[in-house]
Amino acid sequence: MALSTISGTRIPGSVSDPFWYKDAIIYELHVKAFADSNNDGIGDFQGLMQKLDYLVELGATCIWLLPFFPSPLRDDGYDISDYMSVHPSYGTLEDFRQFLGAAHDRGLQVMIELVINHTSDQHPWFQAARSSPPGSPERDFYVWSDTDQKYKDARIIFTDTEKSNWSWDPVAQAYFWHRFFSHQPDLNFDNPQVMEEVLKVLRFWLDMGVDALRLDAVPYLVERDGTNCENLGETHQMIKAIRAALDERYENRMILAEANQPPANVRAYFGDADECHMAFHFPLMPRIYMALSQEDRLPITDIMAQTPAIPEGCQWGMFLRNHDELTLEMVTGDERDYMYLAYSADPRMRINVGIRRRLAPLLDNNRRRIELLNSLLFSFPGTPILYYGDEIGMGDNIYLGDRNGVRTPMQWSGDRNAGFSRTNPARLYSPVIMDPVWGYEAINVEAQQSDSSSLLNWMRNMIALRKLFQVFGRGTQRFLEPSNRKILAYVREYQGEQVLCVANLSRFWQPAQLDLSGLEGLTPVEMLGYIEFPVIGRDSYPVTLGPYEFLWLELQAGTQAEAVASEVGA
């Protein structure tokens, strides 16, 4: 599709449904980690293009790319030195355009990062700022101070590495503000020129045809003394300006907020449907793991009860794991201690205020537990986000620094370098995983594609099933309250579609009596095998589930047998 860039012309996206993201299956990947086409040990866009059919077969509908821009790579690309180009290791801007076209040809949307809270200290903006006098337009692109005592109520996010949010710059002879690493100075959003530059970046990528933008670290855009410098009203004004620029010119695009905050604070990032279309539900994620370990639904139902309603057209982003640590910022101190004990006995598994492990290792490689949590991911309100490799149960490497242990090369086959690259293994950007349990010879795509009982094929089937029912992406959720708290049960409903979901959080068999009043006369049909269960009556509905078992039951008005009988009678 040719995209017009004439001022005032509205530019359509790659799909016609403005709410496409509600039904999406988002697949998160790092270009460098997925496939290496030129055998230099680093993944690239040409390699990614060769794997697009795999993503289509899996059932993904949207690819979320981690930062691929020019960068010193001191924070894996989140330290950007040029917003409108491609890091040479991953290819060229033309390679990206080819990839975008190839993705769109397959019906895949593409989401990229808009990292606007901070830049790399190697960005030309910062180099000009530190070399320019105070009060100059160049200096005003960042936040400076003669003292490191301002904004003392702002917490330090990277507690393992940073002792202050201020760092002294010997060239500028002043302190600069940074909420993350000291090589990532924060932009000054009190300067209108900064927003002008951000909107130039936004338009550059949306004009090219990108479907969605993930706004990184949005709670921290604006600073004010006497506050914790998070979730400020001025920050929301900045996001409204970004959304207005998008709505003015582009159709069927989406903005996703990364706001690791309590549910009530995250709700604000939707605004009145005039800020972000989507936001991650960070507080739910650790409580899913907590409920599983405690074999008690309360952590889940409690946090969902604290989750406010969101505007029509907005959507939660649901995930089990991603490229960062399993963050424990949004839990109490006691809950954090419990999670550390339950899921990271080795201190090397921890970083900052979280746990740096992949999904399968967190769940002790227990297939039933992996399937159970994915059933929650696919059936809770919101859009599911999968982290690359989790569909085959990839492991991690806790001996790599920072969060790199969950960013190892994709394991395609049992061949050299896991089929990721043909280079000398010593040249790989990261060693592939080689231990007996998690190594690429034991866990890889090629082996699982030919095994009908593999995790990969199970994931394909579950994704395909979810995509048949809009109720999962768009419906309401009503929790049931069986006396057995090891059972989590809820009803999803949307435009006549009704689905009953029941999950056993325990390692033992569990019975429950479900109060399905109001649903009398409906027939539950198990959705994987299309098996009819007894018709719902006036009494409570009995169910018994095996260890870590779950059921998805479509509630139908008439039984399949009745339908067949009526056809024969006619």
Side-chain angles (χ1 to χ4, degrees):
M1 181 187 299
L3 300 179
S4 170
T5 56
I6 300 172
S7 179
T9 300
R10 291 186 63 78
I11 303 175
S14 66
V15 288
S16 57
D17 182 358
F19 302 124
W20 60 267
Y21 49 87
K22 288 197 164 194
D23 305 314
I25 306 291
I26 299 176
Y27 188 93
E28 177 193 1
L29 65 88
H30 204 321
V31 177
K32 78 170 185 182
F34 213 58
D36 172 20
S37 70
N38 61 359
N39 299 322
D40 64 353
I42 303 170
D44 46 54
F45 278 110
Q46 291 293 332
L48 174 55
M49 274 191 283
Q50 297 168 14
K51 300 297 185 180
L52 289 179
D53 289 338
Y54 165 79
L55 298 180
V56 172
E57 291 167 6
L58 176 63
T61 65
C62 178
I63 302 171
W64 163 18
L65 298 177
L66 294 175
F68 54 82
F69 315 101
S71 164
L73 300 180
R74 295 182 65 187
D75 186 20
D76 207 15
Y78 281 92
D79 50 328
I80 295 172
S81 57
D82 181 354
Y83 282 101
M84 293 192 284
S85 189
V86 172
H87 195 289
S89 294
Y90 310 144
T92 64
L93 204 52
E94 181 55 33
D95 288 333
F96 177 82
R97 287 192 178 96
Q98 289 182 21
F99 153 75
L100 188 61
H104 287 167
D105 287 345
R106 291 165 173 79
L108 294 165
Q109 281 72 61
V110 174
M111 177 166 66
I112 69 169
E113 298 270 1
L114 193 63
V115 184
I116 58 173
N117 178 71
H118 50 265
T119 70
S120 165
D121 59 6
Q122 300 305 304
H123 196 291
W125 295 345
F126 186 75
Q127 292 301 312
R130 68 199 300 237
S131 303
S132 301
S136 64
E138 294 81 5
R139 176 70 72 101
D140 205 30
F141 255 64
Y142 295 86
V143 181
W144 300 91
S145 174
D146 294 329
T147 171
D148 61 359
Q149 297 303 302
K150 290 180 71 175
Y151 314 138
K152 293 183 70 173
D153 296 325
R155 64 191 172 103
I156 295 171
I157 296 170
F158 286 166
T159 55
D160 286 3
T161 55
E162 303 299 328
K163 305 306 177 190
S164 171
N165 288 320
W166 291 102
S167 286
W168 177 257
D169 184 75
V171 176
Q173 288 294 296
Y175 291 96
F176 64 86
W177 178 252
H178 57 89
R179 289 308 299 270
F180 295 95
F181 289 120
S182 57
H183 56 79
Q184 292 171 321
D186 278 24
L187 287 165
N188 176 20
F189 276 87
D190 287 325
N191 179 358
Q193 284 185 294
V194 169
M195 179 58 77
E196 286 181 24
E197 292 298 326
V198 165
L199 295 183
K200 282 182 188 176
V201 173
L202 175 141
R203 293 181 183 118
F204 176 82
W205 294 106
L206 293 182
D207 284 349
M208 199 179 295
V210 164
D211 301 279
L213 301 165
R214 174 188 176 272
L215 292 185
D216 180 71
V218 289
Y220 319 111
L221 298 184
V222 177
E223 305 78 28
R224 292 291 181 268
D225 241 334
T227 76
N228 65 359
C229 299
E230 299 181 23
N231 310 313
L232 301 184
E234 295 91 334
T235 289
H236 287 285
Q237 292 304 314
M238 301 301 158
I239 300 171
K240 289 179 191 294
I242 292 170
R243 174 65 181 270
L246 181 141
D247 287 346
E248 177 185 20
R249 189 166 168 183
Y250 304 96
E251 295 177 345
N252 307 333
R253 312 300 177 94
M254 181 267 284
I255 299 174
L256 169 61
E258 186 213 21
N260 188 0
Q261 300 287 322
N265 289 347
V266 179
R267 163 63 183 84
Y269 288 92
F270 297 114
D272 295 320
D274 61 351
E275 292 190 33
C276 296
H277 303 80
M278 286 183 62
F280 292 113
H281 201 317
F282 275 103
L284 172 62
M285 180 261 302
R287 287 172 174 85
I288 290 176
Y289 291 94
M290 200 178 303
L292 182 67
S293 181
Q294 294 177 354
E295 300 190 357
D296 188 334
R297 68 173 183 261
L298 186 61
I300 293 175
T301 55
D302 180 58
I303 198 65
M304 292 302 288
Q306 298 175 41
T307 301
I310 60 178
E312 188 73 23
C314 294
Q315 181 82 325
W316 291 108
M318 309 297 293
F319 65 102
L320 296 173
R321 287 299 298 111
N322 61 21
H323 61 287
D324 284 331
E325 66 271 29
L326 192 165
T327 178
L328 300 177
E329 289 178 286
M330 292 301 116
V331 299
T332 67
D334 288 344
E335 289 171 335
R336 187 176 304 128
D337 291 342
Y338 176 83
M339 287 288 288
Y340 279 145
L341 184 65
Y343 289 104
S344 59
D346 188 330
R348 283 172 294 201
M349 299 173 181
R350 307 171 191 173
I351 189 172
N352 298 321
V353 188
I355 300 170
R356 56 188 195 117
R357 304 227 69 187
R358 270 189 176 266
L359 176 64
L362 278 167
L363 302 179
D364 298 324
N365 210 19
N366 184 314
R367 174 73 176 268
R368 283 181 175 269
R369 299 176 85 188
I370 293 170
E371 291 182 1
L372 174 66
L373 290 205
N374 276 297
S375 81
L376 301 183
L377 174 70
F378 292 136
S379 63
F380 259 56
T383 296
I385 300 162
L386 302 174
Y387 187 49
Y388 83 93
D390 280 353
E391 73 274 17
I392 60 172
M394 264 180 66
D396 49 40
N397 183 348
I398 63 172
Y399 300 99
L400 296 177
D402 195 17
R403 292 156 289 181
N404 296 325
V406 301
R407 303 175 184 182
T408 57
M410 180 66 176
Q411 294 170 196
W412 294 106
S413 71
D415 294 340
R416 182 177 66 189
N417 299 329
F420 163 77
S421 173
R422 300 297 301 168
T423 193
N424 183 319
R427 290 187 67 193
L428 294 178
Y429 78 89
S430 167
V432 293
I433 295 173
M434 292 179 285
D435 70 69
V437 175
W438 304 104
Y440 64 89
E441 292 178 326
I443 297 174
N444 63 72
V445 169
E446 184 178 70
Q448 293 196 21
Q449 281 177 325
S450 59
D451 178 2
S452 60
S453 65
S454 68
L455 178 61
L456 175 60
N457 278 309
W458 182 89
M459 291 284 284
R460 284 176 175 171
N461 290 336
M462 291 299 294
I463 291 171
L465 179 60
R466 185 190 192 277
K467 289 164 75 173
L468 291 175
F469 294 86
Q470 280 195 314
V471 65
F472 291 122
R474 305 192 184 211
T476 59
Q477 181 185 44
R478 174 171 62 89
F479 284 101
L480 307 178
E481 298 180 354
S483 58
N484 184 351
R485 289 192 358 193
K486 297 180 188 299
I487 296 293
L488 174 68
Y490 44 96
V491 176
R492 302 295 315 280
E493 187 169 1
Y494 179 74
Q495 294 187 353
E497 288 182 0
Q498 292 186 95
V499 174
L500 168 64
C501 300
V502 189
N504 177 10
L505 301 171
S506 168
R507 63 196 185 281
F508 302 115
W509 286 82
Q510 297 293 333
Q513 299 286 332
L514 304 181
D515 178 5
L516 300 180
S517 53
L519 302 172
E520 293 91 344
L522 298 179
T523 300
V525 179
E526 198 278 320
M527 294 165 68
L528 284 170
Y530 214 74
I531 308 300
E532 290 181 6
F533 276 44
V535 176
I536 298 170
R538 293 184 179 179
D539 298 331
S540 58
Y541 197 84
V543 293
T544 303
L545 277 73
Y548 302 125
E549 193 172 34
F550 71 92
L551 289 170
W552 287 2
L553 301 164
E554 183 186 5
L555 303 181
Q556 297 186 352
T559 66
Q560 188 178 26
E562 287 173 348
V564 172
S566 65
E567 287 180 16
V568 173

